[in-house]
Amino acid sequence: MLVKKMKEDKYKEAIQLSEYAFQYKVPLDEIEKRIERMKKNHILYGILEDDVLVAKLHLLPFEIHLGEQKWKMGGIAGVATYPEYRRKGYVKELLTHSLHVMKEEGYTVSMLHPFSIPFYRKYGWEVLSNRLKCTFTKSDLVMLPTDTNTGKIKRYRDVSDFTDLSTVYDQYASTFSGMLVRSKDWWEQITEGLHAAIYYEDIVPTGYLLYSIKDSKMEVEEFVALDKGARNGLWNFICQHDSMVNTLEIITNERDPLIYSLVNPNIKMEVSPYFMTRIVNVEAFIKQYKFNKSRESVKIKITDTFAPWNEQTFLIGEEKSSNHSEEMEMTINTFSSLTFGYKRPRELYEAGFITGKKEQIEKLEDLIPIQQTYFYDFF
């Protein structure tokens, strides 16, 4: 077997490979911290030639929110090969191996950030969510009405207690499919170097910002509000920086009500696909997934070249009779997309990604809950 689980003595080589492949440099005083994080959170798989690490993949054990449910998720990161060892099938070996490992260890789904969407689509991953980047000028910073009697903002340069941030985030994340379940260690990692502002309604946290300010530019990495009061209060806090900033950027989801509520919503907006997901084990996924209650059932034939255990026909819904002669066919990509909620069955059928009769598609529409996908994190 080419792929092996790497021991800690190869972690520094893994960092060097990432530096070369992704064209960045880890400061010398940061290397030990990176290695400690890898010891704690990463499982490193690699391919060696002459005892040199020439290709690698990091598997990160996570959980995600899928609505109110929490799912075990295998995060794929740091996939890299030195150029002189490319086109030998090493990445294919690493990804295929990781799928087998995740199935055996009970990971129902997997996610990754792609350097190339077409590349990872070949292996069964599909787009999970889009990101919306909004760019504002100073003239756009017009305050909104808010109740100043009960709402207040607390600003933090360095966050040491993540309880209030986590309380807001968990409620927000449970309204989406795909959001990461964040540990204290993860909070420490993602807030490093950022300011935080938390909005309180009386003493209850109902929203927060994670942001930075540099060279007259404010970048809001996370704008999370649970209601109108928090949304307007956080926006007004941003507007109070109008003497300090010329440009504001906010990363948020496409359905966030913030932009619509502004005095002038005519701003620069850029939507781009972000993370990808794939179902690792369809049978286990179907058992856990909360389909809508329906008196109908459908048969779905799945194609999954790199996880052959998924290449079956699955019955979804309450079986009314044993006569299910009609079935739909789709790839694991399509099944992942529609069950997470990135695309609806009708959309995928009209685009040619599902084959079958239209009446079967309508039954599937009834079975799949309407969900919004989103993902804020990066790994």
Side-chain angles (χ1 to χ4, degrees), residues 151-251:
K152 63 178 181 179
I153 292 273
K154 284 188 178 180
R155 180 177 51 81
Y156 301 86
R157 177 59 189 90
D158 295 298
V159 185
S160 56
D161 184 350
F162 301 100
T163 303
D164 289 346
L165 286 172
S166 186
T167 296
V168 175
Y169 172 84
D170 288 346
Q171 291 179 67
Y172 182 78
S174 68
T175 65
F176 295 92
S177 61
M179 295 275 276
L180 200 66
V181 176
R182 291 177 174 173
S183 65
K184 182 176 181 294
D185 286 345
W186 194 254
W187 275 109
E188 289 176 351
Q189 186 171 328
I190 65 170
T191 57
E192 188 174 350
L194 296 178
H195 299 275
I198 303 177
Y199 183 87
Y200 294 87
E201 189 69 34
D202 290 325
I203 61 171
V204 179
T206 57
Y208 72 81
L209 303 175
L210 296 179
Y211 65 98
S212 62
I213 304 176
K214 186 179 180 182
D215 299 330
S216 300
K217 182 178 182 180
M218 186 175 191
E219 297 184 1
V220 178
E221 300 290 336
E222 297 190 10
F223 186 112
V224 176
L226 300 181
D227 55 33
K228 176 187 172 184
R231 190 176 306 111
N232 289 10
L234 292 169
W235 172 254
N236 289 350
F237 172 76
I238 291 171
C239 292
Q240 298 283 26
H241 293 76
D242 58 354
S243 65
M244 299 169 57
V245 302
N246 296 321
T247 306
L248 164 69
E249 285 185 359
I250 296 178
I251 302 294

Side-chain angles (χ1 to χ4, degrees), residues 259-299:
I259 309 305
Y260 181 79
S261 68
L262 299 181
V263 173
N264 180 16
N266 185 21
I267 60 165
K268 181 181 178 182
M269 293 185 280
E270 300 170 79
V271 177
S272 56
Y274 187 46
F275 254 65
M276 300 182 78
T277 190
R278 78 131 43 229
I279 296 169
V280 174
N281 187 329
V282 174
E283 185 175 10
F285 181 91
I286 288 172
K287 287 178 181 177
Q288 189 177 350
Y289 187 83
K290 288 189 175 181
F291 293 96
N292 288 333
K293 289 187 177 179
S294 172
R295 295 176 61 83
E296 301 291 346
S297 57
V298 296
K299 268 185 176 180

Side-chain angles (χ1 to χ4, degrees), residues 258-367:
L258 172 68
I259 309 305
Y260 181 79
S261 68
L262 299 181
V263 173
N264 180 16
N266 185 21
I267 60 165
K268 181 181 178 182
M269 293 185 280
E270 300 170 79
V271 177
S272 56
Y274 187 46
F275 254 65
M276 300 182 78
T277 190
R278 78 131 43 229
I279 296 169
V280 174
N281 187 329
V282 174
E283 185 175 10
F285 181 91
I286 288 172
K287 287 178 181 177
Q288 189 177 350
Y289 187 83
K290 288 189 175 181
F291 293 96
N292 288 333
K293 289 187 177 179
S294 172
R295 295 176 61 83
E296 301 291 346
S297 57
V298 296
K299 268 185 176 180
I300 298 177
K301 184 179 180 181
I302 301 291
T303 302
D304 190 349
T305 305
F306 293 96
W309 53 86
N310 290 329
E311 293 212 307
Q312 301 180 46
T313 298
F314 298 91
L315 181 66
I316 295 172
E318 296 181 16
E319 187 175 5
K320 288 180 20 177
S321 71
S322 58
N323 183 21
H324 293 278
S325 57
E326 302 293 341
E327 65 180 30
M328 291 170 279
E329 293 189 27
M330 65 188 74
T331 64
I332 191 66
N333 310 63
T334 298
F335 190 64
S336 301
S337 178
L338 68 87
T339 49
F340 270 81
Y342 183 67
K343 294 293 181 185
R344 294 297 302 171
R346 284 194 199 101
E347 290 179 276
L348 293 163
Y349 175 74
E350 293 297 334
F353 290 100
I354 302 175
T355 59
K357 292 190 175 179
K358 198 155 188 177
E359 53 265 33
Q360 298 299 102
I361 305 301
E362 295 307 314
K363 291 178 183 179
L364 189 58
E365 274 284 346
D366 291 338
L367 284 163

Side-chain angles (χ1 to χ4, degrees), residues 3-21:
V3 180
K4 295 181 180 178
K5 185 176 179 181
M6 296 292 106
K7 296 181 180 178
E8 293 175 7
D9 62 351
K10 290 294 180 183
Y11 285 5
K12 190 167 285 188
E13 284 188 52
I15 292 172
Q16 291 168 347
L17 176 47
S18 286
E19 287 178 319
Y20 192 93

